[in-house]
Amino acid sequence: MTSDGTRRRDARRPAFDPEMRAGAWGMLHAVLAFALEVGALGAFWYAGSRLAPGAGGLVVGFLAAAVFVALWAMFLAPRARRRIPWPWRPVVALALFVLAGAWLLALGQWAGAGLIVVGLVDTALGYWLRRRD
């Protein structure tokens, strides 16, 4: 059971992300954004797990992934209470994707370059879609 204050606060929030646009380009942006989030999560886990041997690496990888999830949930998610405002949100997200990709590249994993390139493409697509409307 929720209080009236909770219902009113939730009623002011959109049920969907207003940055996600309809149409083929909007769908591409949504798919790329989701793939980047999942890829960055995996990249942070993988890179973190390489910092310590054995089971310690699994714990460090889990913590690195948990920090990424916490930052995303607090500042970048569509329903975040402290959501970063529009012009800066894609830049901060791109910075996280570049960090994850660079960390993979430092470990010799070329998938990091893909993460960086797709992050740049998706950020440019997001700005283009926003400007188009």
Side-chain angles (χ1 to χ4, degrees):
M1 182 105 173
T2 61
S3 68
D4 287 338
T6 303
R7 257 186 264 131
R8 277 193 301 260
R9 184 177 63 238
D10 289 342
R12 289 188 303 238
R13 290 187 182 165
F16 65 96
D17 189 353
E19 292 169 17
M20 294 298 156
R21 304 289 187 230
W25 291 111
M27 182 62 73
L28 177 63
H29 177 53
V31 168
L32 289 177
F34 179 72
L36 282 165
E37 291 170 31
V38 173
L41 178 64
F44 279 112
W45 177 84
Y46 177 81
S49 70
R50 297 300 175 241
L51 292 177
L58 294 175
V59 172
V60 174
F62 175 77
L63 290 175
V67 168
F68 169 74
V69 168
L71 288 173
W72 196 272
M74 288 188 331
F75 301 113
L76 297 166
R79 297 187 71 129
R81 290 183 185 204
R82 295 181 194 103
R83 193 170 194 206
I84 296 172
W86 158 250
W88 302 108
R89 188 170 40 253
V91 174
V92 172
L94 178 62
L96 286 172
F97 300 143
V98 168
L99 177 64
W103 203 359
L104 285 179
L105 284 171
L107 292 171
Q109 300 296 321
W110 289 100
L115 192 63
I116 293 170
V117 169
V118 173
L120 288 168
V121 168
D122 184 60
T123 301
L125 180 60
Y127 275 105
W128 178 74
L129 286 170
R130 183 80 174 225
R131 186 171 182 228
R132 193 176 75 160
D133 289 344

